[in-house]
Amino acid sequence: MIHQSENPLQLPVLDVSQPLHSSSLSSLAAACQEWGFFQIINHGISKDLYSKIYSLSKKIFCLPSESKLKLGPFSLRKTYTPHFIASPFFESLRVSGPDFAASAQSSADVLLSEQDSEFSEVLQEYGSKVTELSKMILKFVLMTLGDGYETKYESEFKNCHGYLRINNYTPPENLEEEETEGLGKHTDMSCLTIVYQDEIGGLQVRSKDGKWMNILPCEGTLVVNIGDMLQAWSNERLRSSEHRVVFKKPLNRFSLAFFWCFEDDKVILAPDEVVGQEHTRIYKPFVCLDYVKYRESNEKGRFEKVGFTVKDFAGVVGFPMPKSENGS
Ligand SMILES: O=C(O)CCC(=O)C(=O)O
Ligand SMILES: [Fe+2]
């Protein structure tokens, strides 16, 4: 394991083509507790695959808004998030697994006139690869909890599923204010998120004492972060950190975020051995889909805004359940 040399944030870089050595495991454990973020290399996703997705997606994002809104939040498919929902400068397209090809094709069929299967083929390839990566990384993350925890994979995580969000950021025409947000601070709802960012940069993670730290792009490196589902399941031994995207320069940014999540009907409850005898349970058990709905049913929560986190939803102390949950 090597460390990124750029300032300011030094996240460990995990070589996922190698078995995990004990020194790597301890830096990974420290990063998962302190930042909830780390990076991976030798992951098998080529720049060429990313570039193909980039150019095909750009064709879609360049279409007029009226066309894209056929997939918008008020349409049947709801796969497109237009500008001004998460931020004025952000739009995204969702592609769901495990049949990424079918999901991508159904969006392409609505938007693109010429029949072409390339978009769905490249997304299937990307989706399958990042799914396998998620499984492997999740096992590594479980190992950071201690000996024997990787066995929890089979009993707890084998029904996880993933979806991809293709994110397109367009800066304001006059970028006067330094650090205009392209995507406001939020935590991810997932167990794990894997992000392929381009060379523009702008991704930041918030430290425990509230400082924004840059996660600089580095060719061949993907960013991995822990999401709320794993934070709750691990009784906060793994951290789901707030992060955001800012424009440092007036340049477009393009990223692929893959969310690896528990199945909808999973009851998330930290196992006793994860909680440990000397700790108290921080979360009440909750059904995964209820949390997703809680976030999505609320204007502020919908786009993963802080204030609608898993702790607000299921934290044990002083966090009332939302109205729909307690029947009032
Ligand atoms: O664009 C990025 O790098 C991050 C995107 C992100 O945080 C998200 O989609 O949840
Ligand atoms: Fe995120």
Coordinates of all heavy atoms in Angstrom, one line a residue, residues 60 71 77 79 93-95 102-112 119:
I60 N -26.0 12.3 -24.5 CA -27.3 12.4 -23.8 C -27.4 13.7 -23.0 O -28.4 14.4 -23.1 CB -27.5 11.2 -22.8 CG1 -27.7 9.9 -23.7 CG2 -28.7 11.4 -21.9 CD1 -27.9 8.7 -22.9
L71 N -37.2 11.5 -19.1 CA -36.7 10.5 -18.1 C -36.6 11.2 -16.7 O -36.0 10.6 -15.8 CB -35.3 10.0 -18.5 CG -35.1 9.3 -19.8 CD1 -33.6 9.0 -20.0 CD2 -35.9 8.0 -19.8
R77 N -40.0 6.6 -15.8 CA -38.7 5.9 -15.5 C -37.9 6.6 -14.4 O -37.2 5.9 -13.7 CB -37.8 5.8 -16.7 CG -38.4 4.8 -17.7 CD -37.4 4.6 -18.9 NE -37.9 3.6 -19.8 CZ -38.8 3.8 -20.7 NH1 -39.4 5.0 -20.8 NH2 -39.2 2.8 -21.5
T79 N -35.2 8.2 -14.2 CA -33.8 7.9 -14.1 C -32.9 9.2 -14.3 O -31.7 9.1 -14.0 CB -33.3 6.9 -15.2 OG1 -33.9 7.3 -16.5 CG2 -33.8 5.5 -14.9
L93 N -27.8 10.7 -14.5 CA -28.6 9.7 -15.1 C -28.3 8.4 -14.3 O -27.1 8.1 -14.1 CB -28.2 9.5 -16.6 CG -29.0 8.5 -17.4 CD1 -30.4 9.1 -17.6 CD2 -28.4 8.3 -18.7
R94 N -29.4 7.7 -13.9 CA -29.2 6.5 -13.1 C -29.3 5.2 -14.0 O -30.2 5.2 -14.8 CB -30.3 6.5 -12.0 CG -30.3 5.3 -11.1 CD -31.4 5.4 -10.1 NE -31.7 4.1 -9.5 CZ -31.8 3.9 -8.2 NH1 -31.7 5.0 -7.4 NH2 -32.0 2.7 -7.7
V95 N -28.4 4.3 -13.7 CA -28.5 3.0 -14.5 C -28.4 1.9 -13.4 O -27.5 1.9 -12.6 CB -27.2 2.9 -15.4 CG1 -27.3 1.5 -16.1 CG2 -27.2 4.0 -16.4
A102 N -30.0 -3.5 -19.7 CA -31.4 -3.2 -19.9 C -31.8 -1.8 -19.4 O -32.6 -1.1 -20.1 CB -32.2 -4.3 -19.3
S103 N -31.2 -1.5 -18.3 CA -31.6 -0.2 -17.7 C -31.1 0.9 -18.6 O -31.8 1.9 -18.9 CB -30.9 -0.1 -16.3 OG -31.1 1.1 -15.7
A104 N -29.8 0.8 -19.0 CA -29.2 1.8 -19.9 C -30.0 1.9 -21.2 O -30.3 3.0 -21.7 CB -27.8 1.6 -20.2
Q105 N -30.3 0.7 -21.8 CA -31.0 0.7 -23.1 C -32.4 1.4 -23.0 O -32.8 2.1 -23.9 CB -31.2 -0.8 -23.5 CG -31.6 -0.9 -25.0 CD -30.6 -0.3 -25.9 OE1 -29.4 -0.6 -25.9 NE2 -31.0 0.6 -26.8
S106 N -33.1 1.2 -21.8 CA -34.4 1.7 -21.8 C -34.4 3.3 -21.7 O -35.2 4.0 -22.2 CB -35.2 1.1 -20.6 OG -34.9 1.8 -19.4
S107 N -33.3 3.8 -21.1 CA -33.1 5.3 -21.2 C -32.7 5.7 -22.6 O -33.2 6.7 -23.1 CB -32.0 5.7 -20.2 OG -32.4 5.5 -18.9
A108 N -31.8 5.0 -23.2 CA -31.3 5.3 -24.6 C -32.5 5.3 -25.6 O -32.6 6.1 -26.5 CB -30.2 4.4 -25.0
D109 N -33.4 4.3 -25.4 CA -34.5 4.1 -26.3 C -35.4 5.4 -26.3 O -35.9 5.8 -27.4 CB -35.3 2.9 -26.0 CG -34.7 1.6 -26.3 OD1 -33.7 1.7 -27.1 OD2 -35.1 0.5 -25.8
V110 N -35.5 6.0 -25.2 CA -36.4 7.2 -25.1 C -35.7 8.4 -25.7 O -36.3 9.2 -26.3 CB -36.8 7.4 -23.6 CG1 -37.5 8.7 -23.4 CG2 -37.5 6.2 -23.0
L111 N -34.4 8.5 -25.5 CA -33.7 9.7 -25.8 C -33.0 9.7 -27.2 O -32.9 10.8 -27.8 CB -32.6 10.0 -24.8 CG -33.2 10.3 -23.4 CD1 -32.0 10.7 -22.5 CD2 -34.1 11.5 -23.4
L112 N -32.5 8.6 -27.6 CA -31.6 8.6 -28.8 C -32.4 8.0 -30.0 O -33.0 6.9 -29.8 CB -30.3 7.8 -28.6 CG -29.5 8.3 -27.4 CD1 -28.3 7.4 -27.2 CD2 -29.0 9.7 -27.6
F119 N -24.0 2.0 -25.9 CA -24.2 2.6 -24.6 C -24.5 1.5 -23.5 O -23.9 1.5 -22.5 CB -25.3 3.6 -24.7 CG -25.6 4.4 -23.4 CD1 -24.6 5.2 -22.9 CD2 -26.8 4.4 -22.8 CE1 -24.8 6.0 -21.7 CE2 -27.1 5.1 -21.6 CZ -26.1 5.9 -21.1

